[in-house]
Amino acid sequence: MMQDDRWPVSDSQQPPYRWICSLKVFFPEPVFYPLSLLEGMGRSWSDIQSGTTGCGSGTLISPMQVLTSAHVLCGLKMWRDERKGGQLCFQLVPAKKVLVLPARNESTTHRTQAFGSFSAKHIHISSAFRKAMEVPVRQLTPERVRQALQWDYGLLNLAPRPHKAPRWTRQPGWWGAAPDFLIGAAPT
């Protein structure tokens, strides 16, 4: 396992940290984490456990969009492809739900988040990443996964908050917006 050498930010509500989002990802069925072989979770796919949840991070790039990695938004499942003579292959499984938490800070995980949470309305995964990863199991080697990283990007379109959601006096803004920008504020 790799050691996490990151340090917490004391005030994640300040720019640029408030534009960084924690992502909680939920899959419709058990899947394998696409980068498992690269992160030392096993020597082969048969050594790796599957799961129905994941996590990751992303960056707000507009009021309703989060840029992230494709490997955060999808998992892999094995299936027999009859078109390939019943060969055991991988298929990408997109997340069924992604919860987006801007400015998450470990000191606030048990309290209300400063900017609340958002749900993803649409999940977009790079088609080149999908093509590189949807191959027979024996072909998805660490080297092939490394090569697929050049297409490892995804985008979340966020759903508007429900009308009954609490009104937040502050919005996180997004990367490239002025640090004191408020969504819905009239431009000056």
Side-chain angles (χ1 to χ4, degrees), residues 138-172:
R138 61 180 168 68
Q139 291 179 15
L140 195 55
T141 62
E143 181 55 35
R144 183 168 185 116
V145 174
R146 267 190 225 79
Q147 290 172 357
L149 292 178
Q150 64 187 312
W151 303 293
D152 187 12
Y153 54 89
L155 183 73
L156 297 172
N157 288 341
L158 303 179
R161 288 194 175 139
H163 295 293
K164 293 182 181 180
R167 292 218 169 242
W168 302 98
T169 56
R170 296 174 56 218
Q171 295 290 335

Side-chain angles (χ1 to χ4, degrees), residues 174-187:
W174 61 89
W175 204 269
D180 60 349
F181 183 82
L182 297 175
I183 295 176

Side-chain angles (χ1 to χ4, degrees), residues 14 16 24 28 38-39 54-55 65 106 108-109 112 122 129-130 144 166:
Q14 296 303 311
K24 293 182 180 180
L38 298 183
E39 295 185 1
C55 62
Q65 292 181 312
E106 287 303 314
T108 61
T109 54
T112 302
H122 296 289
F129 184 78
R130 178 182 298 275
R144 183 168 185 116

